[in-house]
């Protein structure tokens, strides 16, 4: 019986590793192609008050996305050193989040780096930090404060962990990302974080923390965010009192979730 030469088999395997994509056929590409200029032209009149001013980098990001994966904009020829297999790889835009293809690659690479190079072999939990709707416009019009929002989340975790462990010098591990959109693409700044289920002493000893009270976390995070806005001169004492006197959370809720469940390795 005739068999294919090993080089032919390897070539087929190499070529199969990269499925050629067609960006122009995707709904997102067609959406930008048809409506982007229209939305940009009407932004100030229809959307600026609710969504904030048009930021200059948006045009460049969209143009890069529209050029992503198109062979006429440049490509590389990929050849296998072990066989005659080769294929063409169109240049990518490498934009942040806008391009699904590039964002997926960035996410996979970041997750692998965190898992292999950053996280210790201890338990971890996801924390989510949410603020009331009344405060979200401050971060829409003062985006430089988003870093302070992440820092408020870190300070909340650190203080609660130290208190639970009874060691003020303990340090937990935390990786945080500020997300500015909700499920409906509305403005909704909040923080997602991966936090170690415990921390390390100054001598490097690991101290597990079995539980952190969710309500205490919410109160502490609320205090830190409101202090951030007051220090910037954005939140008046009257509005701060209004938020503090809202037991039914009619103005929106503060949420820090989840509290740490009983410690176990992730």
């Amino acid at each position: 019986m005739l068999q294919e030469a090993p080089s032919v088999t390897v070539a087929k395997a190499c070529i199969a590793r990269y499925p050629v994509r067609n960006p122009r056929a995707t709904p997102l590409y067609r959406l930008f192609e048809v409506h982007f200029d229209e939305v940009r032209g009407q932004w100030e009149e229809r959307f600026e008050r609710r969504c904030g001013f048009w930021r200059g980098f948006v045009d460049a990001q969209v143009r890069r996305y529209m050029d992503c994966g198109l062979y006429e904009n440049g490509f590389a020829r990929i050849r296998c050193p072990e066989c005659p297999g080769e294929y063409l790889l169109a240049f990518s835009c490498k934009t942040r989040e806008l391009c699904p293809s590039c964002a997926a690659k960035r996410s996979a690479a970041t997750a692998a780096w965190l898992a292999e190079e950053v996280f210790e072999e201890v338990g971890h939990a996801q924390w989510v930090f949410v603020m009331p709707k009344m405060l979200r416009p401050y971060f829409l019009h003062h985006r430089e404060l988003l870093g302070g929002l992440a820092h408020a989340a870190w300070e909340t975790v650190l203080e609660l962990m130290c208190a639970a462990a009874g060691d003020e010098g303990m340090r937990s591990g935390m990786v945080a990302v500020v997300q500015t959109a909700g499920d409906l693409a509305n403005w909704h700044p909040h923080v997602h974080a991966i936090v170690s289920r415990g921390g390390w002493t100054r001598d490097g000893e690991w101290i597990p923390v079995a539980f952190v009270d969710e309500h205490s976390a919410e109160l502490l995070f609320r205090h830190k965010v409101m202090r951030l806005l007051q220090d910037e001169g954005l939140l008046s004492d009257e509005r701060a009192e209004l938020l503090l006197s809202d037991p039914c959370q009619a103005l929106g809720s503060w949420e820090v979730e989840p509290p740490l469940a009983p410690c176990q390795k992730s």
Side-chain angles (χ1 to χ4, degrees):
M1 182 174 64
L2 294 177
Q3 294 183 343
E4 289 184 333
S7 60
V8 176
T9 304
V10 174
K12 288 183 177 179
C14 291
I15 294 173
R17 292 174 188 169
Y18 179 75
V20 178
R21 61 191 182 96
N22 181 11
R24 288 194 174 101
T26 63
L28 182 62
Y29 189 97
R30 293 198 296 268
L31 183 70
F32 275 102
E33 190 174 37
V34 174
H35 295 293
F36 176 70
D37 290 335
E38 177 186 0
V39 171
R40 189 184 189 285
Q42 299 181 24
W43 185 268
E44 183 176 358
E45 179 182 351
R46 296 184 56 185
F47 307 110
E48 185 173 287
R49 183 175 181 181
R50 177 166 56 91
C51 302
F53 61 89
W54 184 270
R55 292 185 288 167
F57 73 87
V58 172
D59 298 85
Q61 293 288 299
V62 171
R63 283 196 298 269
R64 287 173 59 187
Y65 164 66
M66 299 292 285
D67 289 340
C68 183
L70 302 179
Y71 290 104
E72 59 264 36
N73 295 319
F75 60 86
R77 184 183 297 274
I78 310 299
R79 291 179 175 175
C80 177
E82 306 294 335
C83 69
E86 64 177 40
Y87 62 90
L88 302 181
L89 178 63
F91 293 151
S92 59
C93 61
K94 299 179 177 63
T95 58
R96 294 182 57 187
E97 304 306 326
L98 178 59
C99 175
S101 176
C102 293
K105 179 180 179 181
R106 184 190 297 270
S107 297
T110 301
W113 174 69
L114 289 174
E116 296 171 6
E117 303 293 339
V118 177
F119 292 148
E120 291 285 351
E121 292 293 326
V122 297
H124 291 80
Q126 179 184 210
W127 290 50
V128 183
F129 299 81
V130 179
M131 73 180 79
K133 293 181 180 179
M134 176 181 279
L135 296 183
R136 296 173 192 174
Y138 293 112
F139 294 88
L140 173 64
H141 299 288
H142 301 274
R143 296 185 185 231
E144 68 277 6
L145 296 180
L146 291 173
L149 182 65
H151 196 262
W154 158 243
E155 289 184 337
T156 299
V157 168
L158 179 62
E159 292 180 23
L160 288 171
M161 288 288 195
C162 288
D167 184 347
E168 293 298 322
M170 188 187 80
R171 289 295 180 267
S172 297
M174 174 172 164
V175 176
V177 176
V178 178
Q179 185 170 337
T180 57
D183 293 339
L184 302 177
N186 56 310
W187 177 254
H188 181 18
H190 56 286
V191 179
H192 288 268
I194 299 293
V195 182
S196 59
R197 293 177 181 266
W200 291 265
T201 66
R202 297 185 186 277
D203 297 327
E205 178 186 357
W206 166 253
I207 301 178
V209 174
F211 179 78
V212 171
D213 181 66
E214 181 177 359
H215 182 61
S216 298
E218 290 174 0
L219 292 177
L220 186 56
F221 182 60
R222 177 178 69 177
H223 167 76
K224 292 185 177 298
V225 173
M226 293 177 65
R227 175 56 58 192
L228 169 66
L229 295 174
Q230 286 180 309
D231 289 346
E232 294 292 329
L234 298 174
L235 187 66
S236 65
D237 293 338
E238 292 77 11
R239 178 156 290 197
E241 290 178 5
L242 178 62
L243 285 165
L244 292 172
S245 62
D246 183 31
C248 297
Q249 297 185 334
L251 303 175
S253 62
W254 296 89
E255 296 178 16
V256 178
E257 58 180 15
L260 291 182
C263 184
Q264 62 183 25
K265 285 193 175 183
S266 57

